[in-house]
Amino acid sequence: MQSILIVEDDITFSTMLRTWLGKKGFQAETAGSVTAAKRLLEKTAFDLILSDLRLPDKDGIDLLKWLGEQGLSVPLIMMTSYADIQSAV
């Protein structure tokens, strides 16, 4: 079973996404911050990360940089509800 880490501070959205992915046959875990995501990634291997761009403690770019520093080659899809061209680029 493919495992997905959802890094999202909006509890309602992360719960909805985890439930939907579970119904589609994926094992999904959630983390509400970059710090919580790092703790999970240190002990669990994931096949994919879905991360919000703006999080309470750091942002999704910091998580992406950390993955590279750790030598973890996990695909990461960045999500955001902010329509900002600079962030998209």
Side-chain angles (χ1 to χ4, degrees):
M1 181 181 299
Q2 298 273 317
S3 61
I4 299 173
L5 174 60
I6 303 162
V7 187
E8 170 62 61
D9 60 327
D10 182 327
I11 295 169
T12 303
F13 181 68
S14 65
T15 301
M16 181 272 309
L17 192 53
R18 184 185 67 215
T19 302
W20 185 81
L21 288 167
K23 289 179 180 179
K24 298 296 179 185
F26 296 97
Q27 174 66 38
E29 300 252 358
T30 60
S33 67
V34 171
T35 303
K38 288 178 182 179
R39 278 194 299 255
L40 281 170
L41 287 160
E42 287 172 343
K43 58 184 176 182
T44 306
F46 291 93
D47 298 302
L48 175 67
I49 300 170
L50 300 175
S51 178
D52 191 3
L53 178 61
R54 298 184 185 186
L55 294 157
D57 55 349
K58 294 187 180 188
D59 64 28
I61 302 296
D62 291 318
L63 178 59
L64 186 59
K65 288 177 186 174
W66 180 84
L67 287 168
E69 292 166 0
Q70 302 303 307
L72 298 172
S73 59
V74 182
L76 186 146
I77 297 173
M78 197 73 63
M79 307 178 292
T80 185
S81 61
Y82 296 94
D84 177 17
I85 299 295
Q86 182 65 28
S87 297
V89 172

